[in-house]
Coordinates of all heavy atoms in Angstrom, one line a residue:
W47 N 188.7 163.7 107.2 CA 188.9 163.0 108.4 C 190.3 163.2 108.9 O 191.3 162.9 108.3 CB 188.7 161.5 108.2 CG 188.9 160.7 109.4 CD1 188.0 160.5 110.4 CD2 190.0 159.9 109.7 NE1 188.6 159.7 111.4 CE2 189.8 159.3 111.0 CE3 191.3 159.7 109.1 CZ2 190.7 158.5 111.6 CZ3 192.2 158.8 109.7 CH2 191.9 158.3 111.0
E48 N 190.4 163.9 110.0 CA 191.7 164.2 110.6 C 192.0 163.4 111.8 O 191.4 163.6 112.9 CB 191.7 165.7 110.9 CG 191.4 166.6 109.7 CD 191.3 168.1 110.1 OE1 191.4 168.3 111.3 OE2 191.1 168.9 109.2
P49 N 193.0 162.5 111.7 CA 193.3 161.7 112.9 C 193.9 162.6 114.0 O 194.7 163.4 113.8 CB 194.3 160.7 112.4 CG 194.9 161.3 111.2 CD 193.8 162.2 110.6
G50 N 193.4 162.3 115.2 CA 193.9 163.0 116.4 C 194.8 162.1 117.2 O 195.0 160.9 116.9
P51 N 195.2 162.6 118.4 CA 196.0 161.7 119.2 C 195.2 160.6 119.8 O 194.0 160.7 119.9 CB 196.4 162.7 120.4 CG 195.4 163.8 120.3 CD 195.0 163.9 118.9
A52 N 195.8 159.5 120.1 CA 195.1 158.3 120.6 C 194.7 158.4 122.0 O 195.3 157.9 122.9 CB 196.0 157.0 120.4
Q53 N 193.6 159.2 122.2 CA 193.1 159.4 123.5 C 191.7 158.8 123.6 O 190.7 159.4 123.9 CB 193.0 160.9 123.8 CG 194.4 161.6 123.7 CD 194.2 163.1 123.8 OE1 193.1 163.7 123.9 NE2 195.4 163.8 123.9
G54 N 191.7 157.5 123.3 CA 190.4 156.8 123.2 C 189.7 156.7 124.5 O 188.5 156.5 124.5
D55 N 190.3 156.9 125.7 CA 189.6 156.8 126.9 C 188.8 158.0 127.3 O 188.0 158.0 128.2 CB 190.6 156.5 128.1 CG 191.3 155.2 127.9 OD1 190.7 154.3 127.3 OD2 192.4 155.0 128.4
E56 N 189.0 159.1 126.5 CA 188.3 160.3 126.9 C 186.8 160.2 126.4 O 186.6 159.7 125.3 CB 188.9 161.6 126.2 CG 190.3 161.9 126.7 CD 190.8 163.2 126.0 OE1 190.0 164.1 125.9 OE2 192.0 163.2 125.7
D57 N 185.9 160.6 127.2 CA 184.5 160.5 126.8 C 184.0 161.9 126.3 O 184.5 162.9 126.7 CB 183.6 160.1 128.0 CG 183.9 158.6 128.4 OD1 184.2 157.9 127.5 OD2 183.9 158.3 129.6
Q65 N 184.8 172.5 119.7 CA 186.2 172.2 119.4 C 186.7 171.1 120.3 O 187.4 170.1 119.9 CB 187.1 173.4 119.5 CG 188.5 173.2 119.0 CD 188.6 172.8 117.5 OE1 187.8 173.3 116.7 NE2 189.5 172.0 117.1
R66 N 186.3 171.2 121.6 CA 186.8 170.2 122.5 C 186.0 168.8 122.3 O 186.5 167.8 122.6 CB 186.6 170.7 124.0 CG 187.5 171.8 124.3 CD 187.2 172.2 125.8 NE 187.4 171.1 126.7 CZ 188.5 170.8 127.3 NH1 189.7 171.4 126.9 NH2 188.6 169.8 128.1
A67 N 184.8 169.0 121.8 CA 184.0 167.7 121.6 C 184.5 166.9 120.5 O 184.3 165.7 120.4 CB 182.5 168.1 121.4
R68 N 185.0 167.6 119.5 CA 185.5 166.9 118.3 C 186.7 166.1 118.5 O 186.9 165.0 118.0 CB 185.7 167.9 117.1 CG 184.4 168.3 116.4 CD 184.8 168.9 115.1 NE 185.6 170.1 115.2 CZ 185.1 171.4 115.3 NH1 183.8 171.5 115.3 NH2 185.9 172.4 115.4
Q69 N 187.6 166.6 119.3 CA 188.9 165.9 119.5 C 188.8 164.5 120.0 O 189.4 163.6 119.5 CB 189.8 166.8 120.4 CG 191.2 166.2 120.5 CD 192.1 167.1 121.3 OE1 191.7 168.2 121.7 NE2 193.4 166.7 121.5
P70 N 188.0 164.2 121.1 CA 187.9 162.9 121.6 C 187.3 161.9 120.5 O 187.7 160.8 120.5 CB 187.0 163.0 122.8 CG 187.1 164.4 123.2 CD 187.3 165.2 122.0
E71 N 186.4 162.4 119.7 CA 185.8 161.6 118.7 C 186.8 161.1 117.7 O 186.9 160.0 117.2 CB 184.6 162.3 118.0 CG 183.5 162.6 119.0 CD 182.4 163.4 118.3 OE1 182.4 163.5 117.1 OE2 181.7 164.1 119.0
E72 N 187.6 162.1 117.2 CA 188.7 161.8 116.3 C 189.7 160.8 116.9 O 190.2 159.9 116.2 CB 189.4 163.1 115.8 CG 188.5 164.0 115.0 CD 189.0 165.3 114.8 OE1 190.1 165.6 115.4 OE2 188.4 166.1 114.0
A73 N 190.0 161.0 118.2 CA 190.9 160.1 118.9 C 190.3 158.7 119.0 O 191.1 157.7 118.8 CB 191.2 160.6 120.3
L74 N 189.0 158.6 119.1 CA 188.4 157.2 119.2 C 188.6 156.5 117.8 O 188.9 155.3 117.8 CB 186.9 157.4 119.5 CG 186.5 157.8 120.9 CD1 185.0 158.0 121.0 CD2 187.0 156.7 121.9
M75 N 188.3 157.2 116.7 CA 188.5 156.6 115.4 C 189.9 156.2 115.1 O 190.2 155.2 114.6 CB 187.9 157.6 114.3 CG 187.8 156.9 113.0 SD 186.5 155.7 112.9 CE 187.3 154.4 112.0
T76 N 190.8 157.1 115.6 CA 192.2 156.8 115.4 C 192.7 155.6 116.1 O 193.4 154.7 115.6 CB 193.1 158.0 115.8 OG1 192.7 159.2 115.1 CG2 194.6 157.8 115.6
E77 N 192.2 155.5 117.4 CA 192.6 154.3 118.2 C 192.0 153.0 117.7 O 192.7 152.0 117.6 CB 192.1 154.6 119.6 CG 192.5 153.5 120.6 CD 192.1 153.7 122.0 OE1 191.0 154.3 122.2 OE2 192.8 153.4 123.0
L78 N 190.8 153.1 117.2 CA 190.2 151.9 116.6 C 190.9 151.5 115.3 O 191.1 150.3 115.1 CB 188.7 152.1 116.4 CG 187.9 151.0 115.7 CD1 188.0 149.7 116.5 CD2 186.4 151.4 115.5
S79 N 191.2 152.5 114.5 CA 191.9 152.2 113.3 C 193.3 151.5 113.5 O 193.7 150.6 112.8 CB 192.1 153.5 112.5 OG 190.9 154.1 112.1
E80 N 194.0 152.0 114.6 CA 195.3 151.4 114.9 C 195.1 149.9 115.3 O 195.9 149.0 114.9 CB 195.9 152.2 116.0 CG 196.4 153.5 115.6 CD 196.9 154.4 116.7 OE1 196.8 153.9 117.9 OE2 197.5 155.5 116.4
Y358 N 185.3 147.2 121.2 CA 185.7 148.6 121.3 C 184.5 149.5 121.4 O 184.5 150.4 122.3 CB 186.6 149.0 120.1 CG 187.2 150.4 120.3 CD1 188.4 150.5 121.0 CD2 186.6 151.4 119.7 CE1 188.9 151.8 121.1 CE2 187.1 152.7 119.9 CZ 188.3 152.9 120.6 OH 188.8 154.2 120.7
K362 N 183.5 151.8 124.8 CA 183.5 153.2 124.7 C 182.0 153.8 124.9 O 181.8 154.9 124.6 CB 184.1 153.8 123.5 CG 185.6 153.4 123.3 CD 186.4 153.9 124.5 CE 187.9 153.5 124.3 NZ 188.7 153.9 125.4

Side-chain angles (χ1 to χ4, degrees):
W47 180 78
E48 301 174 355
Q53 299 173 356
D55 293 334
E56 296 186 39
D57 293 326
Q65 186 63 32
R66 290 179 60 84
R68 280 197 297 269
Q69 186 175 358
E71 295 173 23
E72 294 169 352
L74 289 174
M75 191 66 224
T76 302
E77 185 178 33
L78 178 58
S79 298
E80 291 173 352
Y358 184 85
K362 300 302 178 182

